[in-house]
Amino acid sequence: MKIIVIGSGGREHAIAKTLLQSSQVQHVICIPGNGGTARLKRCENLPLNIDQVDQFEAIAEYAKTHAIDLIIIGPEAPLALGITDVLQRHNLTVFGPSQAGAQIEASKAWAKALMSEASIPTAACAVFTDEPAARAYVQSGKIPIVIKADGLASGKGVTVAMTLAEAEEALSEAFSGKFGAAGQTVVIEEYLTGQEASILALTDGETIRPLISAQDHKRIGEGDTGPNTGGMGAYAPAPLVTPELSDRINQEILIPTIKTLKKRGITYRGVLYAGLMITPEGDPKVIEFNCRFGDPEIQAILPLLETPLETLLLATAKGELAQQEITWKPGACACVVAASEGYPGDFAKGFPITGIELAEAQGAIVFEAGTSLKDNHPVTSGGRVLGVTAVGATHDLAFEKVYQAIASIHFQGIYTRRDIGHRVRQKPKE
Ligand code: AMP
Ligand code: GLY
C-alpha cells in the first residue's frame, strides 16, 4: 500500500512510523511532514500547504498520479476546510470526516446542539452572538464558569473563569476579535469538576470501535497548573475508565452521536474523539468532541496497538469497520512531551537536538512534533518538539523508561513536566 498522511505534528510522525512497521505498507508520503518523517525509511515529505483550500486539488492530483491507496488526515484545520470532500470527489479513499462532520469540532455551538438533540450528557450551556447579552448572562449565573469561542482557535479559545472578572475579560477578548470569526459566537458553559479522560474512537458512520482510553495533561505546569497547551504528556490506558464506564461511554455518548450525525445526513468516517469529564459521581460528560486523533494521546495509544493500523484505517475509510476487531498488546504506554522554553507563549526555534538515537537505544520511541532538518540534523521548529514514549508492563515502568530516555535528549531550553502520569504512578516525582 501507498499512503499519504496529512499533517506535521507528533501525531503524524506516530502514524507514519506505525504504518511503516507493516510489510503491507510500501511507502508513506507526509504532507508537509516534519524532521522526523523526513528521516523515516520508505517515507518522504511533500511540502504543500494543507491549510489552503486551493492546495487540496494538488494533493488529489498527486494521489491519483501515484496510485495512493489511502489518505489519512491528521489535523482538524484541513478537515474543517473540506479536504475530505475534495479528495472524495476524485474517488480517493480518505480517513477523516467530511466538512459537515468536522463541524463537531469546528463549531462548539453546532456540537452542543447535536448533543442536546441526542440527549448526550454534557455541561449545560447557552450560546451568544451578542456581547451585552453574554455579559448579563455571566453576571447573573454561577462562578466558576467556562467561556468558549465557537470556532477553531488552536486550543486557545477556552477560558475556565474562576472569577467574574476573568469571565468578563474572556468575553471582551472573544467579541473584540481575538479569535477572528471563531470568537464572534461564544458558548458559555456550566463548570464541571472531576477527572478528564480522552476516548478516541474509530467510526465508519455505522460501527464504532473505541481505542484504549487515554489521559492527557493539558496544563504547562506541574500539578496541572498554568496556561493550557496542546498537551504536555499522556498515557494509555486510563485506569479511571473501567470496562463498565467504557460501556456507558459507548451507549450514552458514542453510539447516540453517530446515530444523530446520520440523522443529519452525515456518514461520519474517521475519528470521533470525546474529551470527557468523569464527574465525582462517576458519570461521563462530554467536554468537547474533536474530529481527529488527540495529540499526544495517540502517541501513547499506537505503541500498544496490535492490529495493523493501515488495516483499521482503511476499513474505516471504506465503511467496513464492522468486520474489524481491534487487539491490543498488554501493558501501559507513557508519553512525555519535550517542549521549547517559553511554550505555550513565544519561543525561539532552530536549536539542534541531540540524543534521539540514544533514547531509542534505551527502549523509548521518540515521536517528533516541532522538528525540521538543518544539514540533515534535527532542529527545533515548534512549541512541542518531541513526544518521548515508552511501553512497560505497568504505568510506573513505562514512565521510568520515558524519564530515563529524556535524560539523554538535549536541546537549548528543553522543558518537560516531571509529573506526567502522577495519578497512575506510585512515585509521583523522580
Ligand atoms: P476544550 O478545548 O473544550 O477541551 O477545553 C480545554 C480544557 O478546558 C479542557 O480540557 C478542560 O480542562 C477545560 N474545560 C472545558 N470545558 C469545561 C467545563 N465545562 N468545565 C470544566 N472545565 C472545562
Ligand atoms: N491533546 C488534546 C487534543 O489533541 O486536543
Side-chain angles (χ1 to χ4, degrees):
M1 282 172 77
K2 282 196 259 177
I3 303 176
I4 289 179
V5 178
I6 303 282
S8 61
R11 166 181 50 213
E12 288 75 23
H13 188 212
I15 291 171
K17 214 166 169 165
T18 307
L19 291 170
L20 287 161
Q21 285 167 2
S22 166
S23 57
Q24 299 299 310
V25 178
Q26 278 87 45
H27 202 70
V28 172
I29 298 98
C30 292
I31 306 179
N34 62 26
T37 56
R39 297 193 327 285
L40 288 174
K41 289 200 179 73
R42 304 183 352 253
C43 185
E44 67 182 292
N45 287 351
L46 183 65
L48 291 174
N49 186 339
I50 57 168
D51 295 326
Q52 269 179 351
V53 178
D54 59 11
Q55 298 286 295
F56 297 166
E57 289 291 338
I59 296 173
E61 283 313 317
Y62 179 95
K64 286 196 294 187
T65 315
H66 293 81
I68 298 295
D69 300 287
L70 173 66
I71 306 174
I72 300 163
I73 318 297
E76 63 278 15
L79 290 167
L81 289 171
I83 191 169
T84 299
D85 311 69
V86 172
L87 299 175
Q88 282 177 341
R89 274 201 290 277
H90 289 271
N91 292 321
L92 292 158
T93 306
V94 188
F95 176 88
S98 62
Q99 187 170 31
Q103 288 179 96
I104 206 156
E105 174 165 1
S107 168
K108 291 183 192 289
W110 191 89
K112 280 293 203 181
L114 182 130
M115 286 187 254
S116 165
E117 185 185 333
S119 303
I120 288 168
T122 184
C125 84
V127 178
F128 295 92
T129 50
D130 169 72
E131 187 172 353
R135 243 171 229 285
Y137 179 84
V138 163
Q139 284 162 357
S140 66
K142 272 199 214 149
I143 301 290
I145 196 159
V146 183
I147 314 286
K148 299 185 175 182
D150 176 60
L152 295 180
S154 309
K156 299 191 174 81
V158 175
T159 303
V160 179
M162 302 312 284
T163 63
L164 179 59
E166 274 180 73
E168 293 195 314
E169 169 75 19
L171 288 177
S172 301
E173 279 182 359
F175 284 112
S176 69
K178 184 175 175 193
F179 308 109
Q184 296 306 304
T185 299
V186 167
V187 177
I188 303 182
E189 272 185 21
E190 167 199 11
Y191 172 71
L192 299 174
T193 57
Q195 237 193 91
E196 289 179 48
S198 303
I199 299 295
L200 281 50
L202 300 180
T203 177
D204 61 4
E206 297 284 341
T207 303
I208 187 142
R209 295 258 187 268
L211 306 181
I212 47 168
S213 57
Q215 207 164 38
D216 181 17
H217 292 264
K218 287 217 168 72
R219 306 295 189 104
I220 188 72
E222 295 185 0
D224 297 319
T225 55
N228 259 329
T229 69
M232 293 303 294
Y235 55 87
L240 169 76
V241 183
T242 58
E244 295 72 35
L245 184 57
S246 185
D247 194 47
R248 282 189 62 191
I249 293 166
N250 228 353
Q251 298 302 327
E252 296 172 25
I253 295 169
L254 301 177
I255 294 171
T257 302
I258 294 305
K259 277 199 179 142
T260 311
L261 284 164
K262 212 173 144 189
K263 222 161 80 183
R264 294 186 175 197
I266 298 168
T267 304
Y268 188 104
R269 289 189 178 163
V271 186
L272 179 65
Y273 161 162
L276 302 175
M277 187 70 90
I278 313 305
T279 67
E281 296 76 40
D283 298 322
K285 290 194 175 182
V286 176
I287 294 177
E288 62 165 354
F289 281 124
N290 293 317
C291 61
R292 36 113 194 142
F293 289 121
D295 194 7
E297 289 95 320
I298 195 65
Q299 299 183 48
I301 290 173
L302 289 178
L304 292 172
L305 180 67
E306 200 166 57
T307 316
L309 181 62
E310 73 281 6
T311 309
L312 288 176
L313 303 192
L314 192 64
T316 306
K318 288 185 160 173
E320 296 167 359
L321 198 55
Q323 296 145 40
Q324 280 299 326
E325 293 300 325
I326 309 181
T327 56
W328 299 97
K329 297 171 193 162
C333 186
C335 169
V336 174
V337 169
S340 296
E341 183 178 13
Y343 175 77
D346 295 338
F347 52 85
K349 302 176 189 178
F351 300 120
I353 306 166
T354 59
I356 291 176
E357 293 77 13
L358 196 55
E360 295 208 317
Q362 291 171 282
I365 314 162
V366 180
F367 295 127
E368 299 187 27
T371 72
S372 59
L373 292 188
K374 195 175 166 195
D375 304 327
N376 234 11
H377 189 87
V379 298
T380 65
S381 69
R384 294 188 294 169
V385 178
L386 307 172
V388 184
T389 306
V391 172
T394 62
H395 288 91
D396 263 318
L397 291 170
F399 275 106
E400 208 173 287
K401 224 190 259 181
V402 164
Y403 279 113
Q404 265 169 17
I406 285 178
S408 304
I409 296 176
H410 300 284
F411 57 83
Q412 191 176 315
I414 184 171
Y415 170 75
T416 53
R417 272 182 60 173
R418 308 300 298 171
D419 68 337
I420 300 298
H422 58 82
R423 290 191 188 85
V424 290
R425 285 160 72 193
Q426 302 292 325
K427 292 171 287 174
K429 299 246 158 138
E430 290 288 284

